[in-house]
Amino acid sequence: MDTNTINLTALDYSILGIYIIVVIGIGFVLKHQMKSASDFLLSGRSIPVWVTGLAFLSANLGAQEVIGMAASGAKYGIMTSQFYWVGAIPAMIFLAVFMMPFYYGSRARSVPEYLALRFDEKTRGLNAAAFAVMTVASSGASLHALAALLHLLLGWNYNVSLIATSIIVLAYVLKGGLSSAIYTEVLQFFLIVLGFTPLVIIGLNDLGGWSGMMSKLPETYAHSWKYVGTTNNPMGVEWFALVFGLGFVLSFGYWCTDFLVIQRAMAAKNMGDARRTPIIAAFPKMLFPFIVIVPGMIALALMEKAGSGFSIPLGVTGQTDYNLVIPSLIAHYLPTGLLGLAMTALMASFMSGMAGNVTAFNTVWTYDIYQSYIASGKSDSHYMWMAKFATVGGIIISIGFAYVAKNVDNIMDFLQLVFGFVNAPVFATFLLGMFWKRATGHGAFFGLLCGTLAAVIFHGISSPMPITAGEAVPWIKGAWLGAHFTFTSSMAQNFWLAIVAWSVCLVMTISISLATKRTRTDEELKGLVFSLTPKIKETDEPVWMRPAVLGIIVLAFAMVLNIIFW
């Protein structure tokens, strides 16, 4: 089969059509439960823990994971697994054990609202605005990846694909709100497992198993830690940037402060379920590298196999577009039926990723921007109307960001850059806010502002490669103030950008807090600061169900995987 085209049969289209009907149907079924703005935006905190756990995982299992991780697998090899075993699992456990009690117990409706309770309104406003931009940028990346896929593999018009898929997402989110997005994310989880597991099995079998694949790849592609003593590895990062930049700043910044994923845990029925939600998600999260990263390595090895005729297509910049690894493998390997299932899994990941970002955007816009600064004191029906208006607006803005994402050859590089601007500095703010009662509103606001500006400046003076006068996308790659720092890869640049943003925010927040007066008393900070909050008693739960115990078990498994692929 031609690696650049797919000819879907009636069976394949039927599978795809059934999925679209089901997800839209979920929205209509849940429509009658949307009686208030809280129901539409927060699911009324009524979702079972197994659902919130899978939704928590699936909220991060959109285009950036399925496409981006496969792309990174082709660029960086098994080192990409660090985004899971170092860059996700520890942070998910920390969120469950230490941070969820503050989010859920404070009854805050969003992460920015927690900042308002802990600090002040200006800190909330700054974070809400930054987060709103990040969500639509991430949503746009998912939308672009899907439209590009449909154009490449099915020959559909790129612009028509953008509009058509946006309408489908709009249809079920507008009807069922957050609940609709959560239940479709659970469906998406099972579709991705069923759709991509056969692809990995067939690909490895064709290459002669794991050893056959690795024999066609550089030695550095087989190890996650062995070559991080220097930058002489596929990702071009040394251990400090990997551990501190990814494993601490970006990882904890995303999993512990990003409202997109935390919103799923906050929809749980009670505090115990909210804390167990990230841990339930962590178990399958550890194994996902074998479904989403290995295909990228298979694609690279397949190009070296004599007579395969396989190649990764070029993108709009004329360079290899690693985002097309998964679509190309699907076209190369899968027969009718499995082809339709895999295409459906791809569409599910893209649309679910977009829906997750849009539902986070409409909540933050409605509660943290519109209600707080534009129209307070309105009726619940008014905010319900605004939430739906924000849903439409978020999708329209996402379409604009989709055109920006066209200039990136690895969607994961683009998203880590966005996270560096937004999540890295805000994690320093949260860390100090939750564990240092002396942190003040002025310190948090100006520290966050300085951290974000530091990220902008660092991006302007750095680049992942020498940028020539004819470079097509210098603003996205960086160095728009001059290439004073050059890194061996975009990911290395992203890690150091995150370190700079977090460090500046931390130092400035501490300095300004010490120079300004507290505006919150100890009494007001109960339930918001660790040292002032009564510890949760878990005597009524079995030992094996307690978050700390489950967290230790998960960390032990992650350690074993790191040792195996050292």
Side-chain angles (χ1 to χ4, degrees):
M1 182 182 291
D2 184 353
T3 59
N4 291 334
T5 59
I6 285 180
N7 296 314
L8 295 183
T9 65
L11 176 60
D12 298 317
Y13 275 114
S14 297
I15 296 172
L16 190 59
I18 290 172
Y19 168 75
I20 293 173
I21 293 171
V22 168
V23 295
I24 294 177
I26 289 174
F28 278 89
V29 169
L30 295 172
K31 178 183 177 182
H32 72 280
Q33 298 180 14
M34 303 299 108
K35 299 177 181 178
S36 67
S38 176
D39 292 333
F40 185 80
L41 296 171
L42 303 175
S43 297
R45 291 193 167 181
S46 61
I47 307 295
V49 66
W50 72 270
V51 175
T52 58
L54 291 180
F56 186 95
L57 171 65
S58 297
N60 182 249
L61 199 57
Q64 61 263 43
E65 182 128 0
V66 175
I67 293 296
M69 286 301 180
S72 294
K75 288 184 72 173
Y76 309 128
I78 201 64
M79 276 192 71
T80 309
S81 64
Q82 300 293 15
F83 282 96
Y84 294 81
W85 303 332
V86 172
I89 301 303
M92 293 166 76
I93 303 308
F94 186 82
L95 170 66
V97 175
F98 294 105
M99 298 186 76
M100 275 313 301
F102 299 111
Y103 288 133
Y104 198 90
S106 68
R107 306 301 293 181
R109 297 167 297 182
S110 67
V111 168
E113 187 169 33
Y114 171 83
L115 289 177
L117 296 171
R118 172 60 184 88
F119 294 114
D120 52 28
E121 285 294 334
K122 65 178 181 293
T123 306
R124 171 198 210 170
L126 179 60
N127 177 244
F131 179 78
V133 173
M134 184 183 74
T135 54
V136 290
S138 182
S139 175
S142 295
L143 186 57
H144 156 68
L146 177 56
L149 175 147
L150 295 176
H151 173 69
L152 173 75
L153 299 182
L154 304 181
W156 296 4
N157 180 273
Y158 178 85
N159 299 309
V160 172
S161 298
L162 283 181
I163 303 301
T165 51
S166 297
I167 291 174
I168 295 172
V169 172
L170 179 63
Y172 70 82
V173 173
L174 206 56
K175 294 296 181 181
L178 176 61
S179 295
S180 180
I182 285 177
Y183 281 104
T184 54
E185 283 165 356
V186 174
L187 175 62
Q188 165 213 355
F189 168 81
F190 291 107
L191 278 173
I192 288 175
V193 173
L194 292 174
F196 295 138
T197 300
L199 182 66
V200 174
I201 293 173
I202 294 172
L204 286 177
N205 183 65
D206 181 42
L207 293 171
W210 182 268
S211 59
M213 177 183 72
M214 295 313 306
S215 68
K216 297 177 176 60
L217 297 176
E219 162 71 10
T220 53
Y221 274 61
H223 300 278
S224 58
W225 286 102
K226 185 177 180 179
Y227 295 98
V228 297
T230 67
T231 59
N232 186 28
N233 56 69
M235 203 173 285
V237 295
E238 77 290 352
W239 71 268
F240 181 81
L242 182 67
V243 174
F244 193 67
L246 172 63
F248 182 66
V249 177
L250 281 171
S251 172
F252 281 69
Y254 176 77
W255 293 103
C256 297
T257 70
D258 195 313
F259 183 55
L260 169 62
V261 291
I262 292 170
Q263 187 180 32
R264 274 68 190 153
M266 291 174 70
K269 291 181 177 181
N270 54 57
M271 174 71 80
D273 284 354
R275 298 181 73 198
R276 279 185 284 270
T277 291
I279 300 176
I280 289 173
F283 280 101
K285 182 75 174 177
M286 285 188 292
L287 302 178
F288 259 85
F290 302 106
I291 294 180
V292 297
I293 293 175
V294 171
M297 300 170 67
I298 290 174
L300 209 61
L302 189 59
M303 292 175 65
E304 301 300 319
K305 181 182 177 182
S308 71
F310 177 84
S311 64
I312 302 174
L314 303 180
V316 294
T317 62
Q319 299 177 334
T320 300
D321 190 345
Y322 292 101
N323 295 322
L324 300 177
V325 163
I326 284 284
S328 300
L329 283 178
I330 288 174
H332 184 79
Y333 277 129
L334 296 186
T336 297
L338 284 179
L339 189 60
L341 185 61
M343 286 295 296
T344 302
L346 275 178
M347 287 197 68
S349 69
F350 298 137
M351 293 195 295
S352 184
M354 184 179 181
N357 280 287
V358 168
T359 53
F361 171 82
N362 63 21
T363 303
V364 168
W365 168 263
T366 302
Y367 285 144
D368 296 298
I369 298 177
Y370 183 76
Q371 185 182 49
S372 299
Y373 304 107
I374 301 175
S376 61
K378 299 292 185 179
S379 65
D380 185 78
S381 60
H382 178 85
Y383 294 123
M384 180 76 153
W385 170 85
M386 176 48 64
K388 292 186 175 181
F389 177 81
T391 302
V392 177
I395 286 181
I396 292 173
I397 298 172
S398 298
I399 293 174
F401 273 102
Y403 288 100
V404 176
K406 287 181 69 174
N407 295 302
V408 182
D409 67 353
N410 184 346
I411 197 172
M412 184 54 65
D413 288 345
F414 174 69
L415 290 170
Q416 292 303 317
L417 175 62
V418 174
F419 294 157
F421 283 118
V422 180
N423 289 340
V426 82
F427 175 55
T429 305
F430 271 91
L431 203 60
L432 291 172
M434 287 185 171
F435 297 99
W436 187 44
K437 68 178 184 179
R438 184 64 181 79
T440 67
H442 291 316
F445 175 79
F446 288 105
L448 186 57
L449 185 63
C450 289
T452 303
L453 290 176
V456 172
I457 293 172
F458 186 83
H459 184 254
I461 62 175
S462 65
S463 70
M465 63 196 76
I467 294 182
T468 63
E471 185 76 18
V473 286
W475 284 88
I476 295 176
K477 295 290 186 181
W480 39 273
L481 293 176
H484 300 286
F485 298 95
T486 302
F487 296 91
T488 51
S489 71
S490 295
M491 202 62 76
Q493 180 193 25
N494 294 338
F495 291 170
W496 278 105
L497 181 145
I499 291 172
V500 169
W502 183 86
S503 301
V504 170
C505 181
L506 185 79
V507 171
M508 294 303 297
T509 301
I510 293 174
S511 301
I512 297 171
S513 292
L514 292 174
T516 55
K517 294 182 179 180
R518 288 178 61 187
T519 57
R520 296 283 195 273
T521 65
D522 284 1
E523 185 63 29
E524 291 174 313
L525 293 180
K526 283 185 177 179
L528 300 172
V529 176
F530 185 79
S531 62
L532 301 175
T533 302
K535 302 303 178 284
I536 296 175
K537 296 182 179 179
E538 300 175 325
T539 54
D540 57 335
E541 294 181 340
V543 173
W544 64 274
M545 283 290 289
R546 296 174 187 176
V549 175
L550 289 172
I552 291 172
I553 295 172
V554 172
L555 289 173
F557 275 109
M559 181 66 69
V560 170
L561 288 170
N562 273 288
I563 293 172
I564 291 174
F565 292 95
W566 184 271

